[in-house]
């Protein structure tokens, strides 16, 4: 939407750039040899199928008529032979063309996926997942229809048409030219048709994309829909999109179905001209009846190839509309890419530096302002601040998930824009605020952090974040299947899995963004203890609202409104009595007030002082 | 193939288009037959008679017939598309409706990619068949029967002979469709897997990128793509084998006639003219027979897809209104769990004998370790899942005895994951009350402490939030989700860990606002922070699906080891070394209590008791 122009090819009048077709055909180029072979097979099987009727005619005229039974059997055997050879060629050609078509589709799908993988996050922020899915599935399928029906019949039909035209010209130039007077009209109607059809097909592609996008969103958020008993409203919305899709298709069908009949009427007018004018000429003796007869039988034979070709043209136009959307996606440049000559980072020491960094997700809406920050190797930096202040954003910039608008982010002195992203990110471990688990087993999910980790290492990582206790309670332990988006685990458990994944990565830079926000206090406490060990020797950025989580940090920065407003150690910041102090105290100011208002302070003292004394 | 038998039921709603399309097809076929005779007529009669006017009339006739043919050819294409698109429309709507009503449990086990493939690709395949496919198939069958009848009338012995190829043809055709049906099933299955991988990658793109796992995902996708390719190839191979066989067999009919007929003619039992005439008709029969192969391919493919579509449509709803269900009248909000046990689909017991009562207006807090069953408990109140044992009642009504909509409409819930939608902030807040006024929306946004940040966006309430709300920060999203629930003005309010991503200051303010709002509603609160929980009228401490302690904050501090321990931990976290403690914290009980527990920041905190 935002990132894709209306159309990479062609203009809003519905005209396509010829490059689109050329590019589409480019996918066939690697198979030129096979296609030639396929065409050869088509020719053979066609010749065979034409030979059949001829041989039968011979059988009837020459053998049956003369009672030559032995000759008849010979001819019949020969005919059977042509059937078999023709059949074999037909089969081989079907398979070959099927193979080529599927190969091209698979190639396209791979290409789309690869490209989508390269696109940067800003693309995904705005593009609906379902629409992208529709491009890869439904739009690619329009090509399937083209390849599966079109490829093999095209040359034959063209050949037939050319043959007929040539024959007519040879027979009688005058008559031929006369019947060709309808040709300009045919061309004109084709042009008009094509323009309308393109628009119509484009619309169908967009609409199925919209249906797909709505489906995707509705299915993945069906729980919220049900919670709010919103089914009816949603149904109405889908009904609308679905209806638009239907109408677009019916509209396209109206255009498509009008093409062939138009051509048919025009070619019949050609026939009528021949009958009328040719007949008159014959009556005047200027032409033989035989020629007219031959002309007319040729003209009726126009019918089939023209029908086939117009169908083919339809699927071509539909495929163009589909491939337009595919190429649009393929041509969307990744906002973030390794630049040529980007270096692969060696093992990191882990120094991170923000130099005058400003950042905006959307132009004109800056989220970070002039951030200057230095994190030494091995240091643990905590970022705190009100929600929406820009903490997650800062963390995203380190791994170059987005590019800074101004300034630079440096890792070990290298601008992150100058290094290969993979070499940077593979040395980072991240627990995202929005944690995500994949379908697969628990083991697979943790192993995602480091693909070559052994089972023992996976289990050790799980143990470190205290995830093993719940995993081992599962009947199938680490082999338990994780349903889509971790539906069969509690949110806290999913966080622990994601945490274990980051730990397993054994990263040089560890980023924990609200990594334990949904984990209970006691488990968190256990993790905290393990964390001290884990963080040793690694640079880490810890973001948390529960300030207990950041106690082990060496330094704290406080972000507010996209700026660093305070920086220092916990003690320094407490002494400064600024925002950090307020936030920190808030955590139990509430409790204090509560205690006071209920007059409980004394009671509390009494109740739990002894418990502490037991320790 | 049985699934295809259900398609007429769908076509029935579009019978006018379907019949119209078929009639048009017949007219087109007829005019196709008329046209050559008309031309022959022109030659024989027109030129023969030597009358130019007659010739012109015939020429006109040709154009008229062509026009008629054109109109009906158009109608045939248009109407068949209309009918088939109508079927697809109905099917998609039915699927959507069903998907929306299928239980949480079903969605837990089902992948989005699966459902999407069925609602798009499978429906499309079925549609394709329902239009042209079915039309052509009907036509082929009618043509075959028609020409067979003509053949029988012409010469029944020859007819029998030429039809002798039909049994083997049928055997092949049936065997073929049996064989390719699973292949097509496989294709759709693999496509769904491919879709699932894609969908997961699109939604989980942040993780993929953060771990630089693009090559891994690419390989995973490539692998699946290859499998799909292989499966498609199997279909191609099947077709490539069977189509030529069908063609050859049908051609064999002619040869048999000539072989036998030739001998008959030789022995004088048949005239040559009869044989030729017969053979001409036989050629007519050949056409539809050759169409049979591709059409059957379409049909089998459609039947595989239809089966997949119907599989969803036929899935019984685990959670649906009982036949005797009544709408739940406006409730007071007394929620009772009576000996409730619960296990997720095919899993272990997650809740075990949970009983409690929340009186109208009370605040019930749930506390417990990760995975102890807190979310599960609240999932049972709006009947997202059905209890395995025991019952859940609201104002004395078993939740299974009332209609789902009336039940859920009176419950406002903030799910643990604040899933938003791709529209604007305003649309998101108004999710449960689509017609809500802006004033109401602003009011709840203020209560959820979202108003300020919303207004800080240039577009304010009309700011689009991206799919799933990706363009908002975690805390912003949670506050929108709270506002969304508040707008329902529910009698029962459920907050599942709904401020976990919000900073303490904001959280405090939300709590203040909520406290007033909760006054006359029954509320359930899940939170890790005791400060959120401690005002509750009833706190349930859960451990592995059992309620191990219950009571008010005061009671629990005294009586529950777990609770006291958590309290201990959290206060310790809020503690300050004495030297730094300012006047504000001096009022708090924590620091005084916990001074001994204070550790240097870089060291691990002391172990809890
Ligand atoms: N992908 C995005 N596109 C556009 N704007 C965004 C995007 N992600 C975040 N923002 C905006 O940037 C600002 C900072 O967001 P960020 O996620 O960094 O906040 P945060 O400090 O992590 O907050 P929280 O504590 O709630 O997680 C917010 O106003 C948010 O709406
Ligand atoms: N849809 C599901 N299918 C199968 N098992 C599930 C499902 N949802 C949760 N579980 C399991 O049930 C148990 C309880 O989960 P629940 O979500 O109720 O925990 P919770 O107390 O809310 O935890 P958290 O604090 O992490 O949110 C967990 O062990 C979890 O793995
Ligand atoms: Mg954040």
């Amino acid at each position: 939407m935002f990132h894709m122009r209306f159309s990479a090819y062609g203009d809003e009048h519905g005209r396509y750039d010829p490059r689109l077709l050329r590019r589409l055909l480019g996918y066939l180029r690697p198979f030129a040899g096979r296609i030639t072979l396929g065409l050869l097979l088509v020719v053979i099987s066609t010749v065979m199928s034409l030979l059949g009727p001829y041989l039968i005619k011979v059988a009837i005229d020459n053998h049956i008529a003369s009672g030559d039974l032995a000759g008849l059997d010979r001819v019949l055997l020969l005919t059977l032979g042509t059937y078999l050879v023709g059949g074999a060629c037909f089969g081989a050609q079907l398979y070959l063309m099927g193979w080529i078509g599927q190969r091209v589709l698979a190639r396209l799908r791979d290409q789309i996926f690869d490209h989508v993988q390269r696109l940067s996050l800003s693309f995904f922020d705005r593009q609906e997942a379902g629409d992208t899915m529709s491009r890869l599935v439904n739009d690619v399928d329009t090509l399937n229809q083209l390849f599966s029906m079109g490829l093999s019949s095209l040359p034959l039909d063209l050949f037939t048409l050319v043959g007929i035209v040539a024959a007519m010209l040879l027979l009688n130039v005058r008559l031929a030219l006369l019947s060709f007077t309808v040709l300009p009209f045919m061309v004109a109607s084709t042009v008009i048709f094509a323009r309308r059809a393109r628009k119509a097909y484009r619309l169908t592609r967009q609409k199925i994309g919209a249906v797909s996008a709505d489906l995707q969103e509705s299915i993945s958020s069906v729980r919220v829909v049900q919670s709010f008993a919103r089914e009816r409203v949603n149904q109405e919305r889908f009904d609308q999109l679905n209806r638009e899709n239907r109408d677009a298709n019916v509209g396209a069908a109206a255009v498509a179905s009008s093409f062939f009949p138009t051509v048919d009427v025009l070619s019949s007018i050609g026939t009528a001209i021949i009958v009328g004018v040719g007949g008159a000429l014959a009556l005047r003796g200027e032409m033989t009846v035989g020629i007219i007869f031959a002309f007319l039988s040729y003209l009726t034979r126009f019918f089939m190839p023209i029908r086939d070709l117009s169908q083919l043209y339809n699927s071509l136009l539909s495929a163009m509309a589909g491939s337009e959307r595919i190429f649009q996606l393929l041509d969307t440049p990744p906002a973030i890419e390794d630049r040529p000559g980007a270096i692969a980072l060696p093992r990191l020491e882990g120094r991170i530096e923000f130099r005058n960094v400003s950042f905006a997700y959307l132009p004109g809406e800056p989220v970070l302002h002039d951030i200057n920050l230095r994190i030494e190797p091995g240091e643990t930096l905590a970022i705190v601040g009100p929600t929406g202040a820009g903490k997650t954003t800062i963390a995203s910039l380190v791994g170059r998930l987005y590019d800074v608008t101004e300034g630079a982010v440096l890792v070990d002195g290298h601008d992150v824009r100058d290094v290969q992203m993979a070499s940077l990110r593979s040395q980072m471990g991240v627990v995202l605020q929005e944690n995500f688990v994949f379908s697969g087993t628990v083991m697979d999910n943790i192993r995602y952090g480091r693909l070559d980790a052994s089972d023992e290492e996976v289990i050790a990582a799980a143990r470190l974040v205290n995830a093993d206790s719940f995993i081992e309670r599962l009947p199938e332990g680490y082999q338990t299947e994780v349903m889509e988006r971790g539906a069969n685990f509690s949110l806290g458990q999913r966080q622990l899995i994601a945490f274990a994944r980051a730990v397993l990565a054994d990263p040089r830079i560890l980023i924990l963004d609200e990594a334990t926000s949904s984990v209970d206090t006691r488990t968190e406490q256990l993790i905290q203890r393990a964390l001290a060990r884990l963080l040793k020797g690694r640079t880490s950025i810890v973001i948390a609202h529960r300030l207990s989580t950041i106690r082990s940090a060496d330094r704290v920065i406080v972000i507010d409104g996209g700026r660093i407003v305070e920086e220092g150690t916990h003690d320094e910041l407490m002494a400064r009595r600024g925002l950090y102090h307020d936030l920190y105290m808030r955590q139990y100011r509430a409790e204090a007030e509560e205690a006071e208002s209920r007059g409980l302070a004394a009671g509390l003292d009494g109740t739990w002082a002894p418990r502490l004394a037991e320790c | 193939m049985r699934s295809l038998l259900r398609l007429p039921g769908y076509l029935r709603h579009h019978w006018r288009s379907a019949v119209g399309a078929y009639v048009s097809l017949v007219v087109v076929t007829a005019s196709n037959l008329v046209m050559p005779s008309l031309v022959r007529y022109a030659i024989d009669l027109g030129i023969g008679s030597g009358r130019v006017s007659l010739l012109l009339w015939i020429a006109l006739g040709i154009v008229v017939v062509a026009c008629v043919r054109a109109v009906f050819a158009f109608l045939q294409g248009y109407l068949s598309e209309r009918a088939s698109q109508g079927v697809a429309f109905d099917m998609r709507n039915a699927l959507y409706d069903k998907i929306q009503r299928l239980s949480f449990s079903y969605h837990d086990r089902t992948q989005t990619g699966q459902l999407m493939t069925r609602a798009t690709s499978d429906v499309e395949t079925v549609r394709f068949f329902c239009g042209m496919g079915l039309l052509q198939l009907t036509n082929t069958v009618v043509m075959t029967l028609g020409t067979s009848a003509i053949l029988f009338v012409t010469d029944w012995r020859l007819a029998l002979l030429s039809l002798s190829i039909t049994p083997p043809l049928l055997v092949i055709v049936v065997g073929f469709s049996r064989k390719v049906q699973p292949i097509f099933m496989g294709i759709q299955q693999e496509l769904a897997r491919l879709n699932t991988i894609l969908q997961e990658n699109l939604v989980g793109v942040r993780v993929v990128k953060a771990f630089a796992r693009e090559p891994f995902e690419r390989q995973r996708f490539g692998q699946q793509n290859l499998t799909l390719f292989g499966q498609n190839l199997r279909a191609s191979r099947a077709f490539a084998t069977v189509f030529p066989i069908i063609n050859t067999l049908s051609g064999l009919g002619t040869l048999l006639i000539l072989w036998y007929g030739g001998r008959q003619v030789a022995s004088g039992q048949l005239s040559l003219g009869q044989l030729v005439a017969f053979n001409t008709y036989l050629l007519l029969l050949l056409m539809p027979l050759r169409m049979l192969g591709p059409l059957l391919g379409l049909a089998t493919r459609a039947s595989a897809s239809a089966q997949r579509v119907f599989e969803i449509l036929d899935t019984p709803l685990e959670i649906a209104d009982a036949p005797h269900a009544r709408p739940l009248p406006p409730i007071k909000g007394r929620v009772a769990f009576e000996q409730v046990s619960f296990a997720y689909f095919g899993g272990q017991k997650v809740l075990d004998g949970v009983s409690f009562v929340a009186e109208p207006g009370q605040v019930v807090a749930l506390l417990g370790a990760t995975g102890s069953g807190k979310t599960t408990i609240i999932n049972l109140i709006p009947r997202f899942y059905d209890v395995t044992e025991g019952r859940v009642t609201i104002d004395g009504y078993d939740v299974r005895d009332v209609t789902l909509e009336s039940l859920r409409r009176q419950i406002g819930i903030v799910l643990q994951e604040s899933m938003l939608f791709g529209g604007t902030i305003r649309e998101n807040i108004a999710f449960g009350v689509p017609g809500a006024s802006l004033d109401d929306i602003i009011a709840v946004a203020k209560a959820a402490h979202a108003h300020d940040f919303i207004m800080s966006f240039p577009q304010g309430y009309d700011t689009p939030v991206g799919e799933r709300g990706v363009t908002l920060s975690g805390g912003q999203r949670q506050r929108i989700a709270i506002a969304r629930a508040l707008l329902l003005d529910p009698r029962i309010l459920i907050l599942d860990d709904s401020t976990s991503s919000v900073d303490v200051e904001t959280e405090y303010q939300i709590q203040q606002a909520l406290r007033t709002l909760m006054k006359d509603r029954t509320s359930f609160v899940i939170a890790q922070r005791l400060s959120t929980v401690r005002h509750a009228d009833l706190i349930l401490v859960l451990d592995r699906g059992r309620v191990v302690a219950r009571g008010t904050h005061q009671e629990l501090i005294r009586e529950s080891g777990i609770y006291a321990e958590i309290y201990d931990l959290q206060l310790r976290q809020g503690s300050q070394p004495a030297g730094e403690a300012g006047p504000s914290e001096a009022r708090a009980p924590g620091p005084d209590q916990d001074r001994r527990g204070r550790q240097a920041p870089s060291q691990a905190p002391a172990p809890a008791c």
Side-chain angles (χ1 to χ4, degrees), chain B residues 185-199:
Chain B
M185 270 297 203
I187 291 180
Q188 294 303 118
Q189 192 63 35
E190 300 304 341
L191 183 66
R193 294 216 177 99
L194 194 79
N195 240 336
T196 299
I197 296 180
L198 175 66
Q199 199 258 352

Side-chain angles (χ1 to χ4, degrees), chain A residues 388 390-393 433 513-514 543 545, chain B residues 473-475 501:
Chain A
K391 304 179 293 295
T392 303
T393 309
Q433 188 169 20
D513 189 356
E514 300 278 351
I543 300 173
H545 288 304
Chain B
S473 85
S501 301

Side-chain angles (χ1 to χ4, degrees), chain B residues 193 255 340 358 377 403 412 424 427 460 551 588-589 600 607:
Chain B
R193 294 216 177 99
L255 296 188
V340 169
I377 287 190
T403 60
T424 63
E427 284 163 5

Side-chain angles (χ1 to χ4, degrees), chain A residues 45 47-49 51-52 55 77-88:
Chain A
S45 68
V47 168
M48 289 299 155
S49 73
L51 222 52
L55 285 175
L77 267 182
L78 202 61
T79 317
L80 185 60
T82 65
Y83 285 171
L84 291 178
V85 173

Side-chain angles (χ1 to χ4, degrees), chain A residues 125-126 361-362 367 385-394 402 433 513-514 543 545, chain B residues 206 457 470-476 479 501:
Chain A
D125 288 347
R126 308 216 144 65
Y361 286 102
L362 297 174
V367 169
T387 69
K391 304 179 293 295
T392 303
T393 309
I394 291 187
Y402 296 90
Q433 188 169 20
D513 189 356
E514 300 278 351
I543 300 173
H545 288 304
Chain B
R206 275 153 211 272
F457 296 138
V470 282
T471 62
L472 295 179
S473 85
Q476 290 169 341
R479 283 179 281 163
S501 301

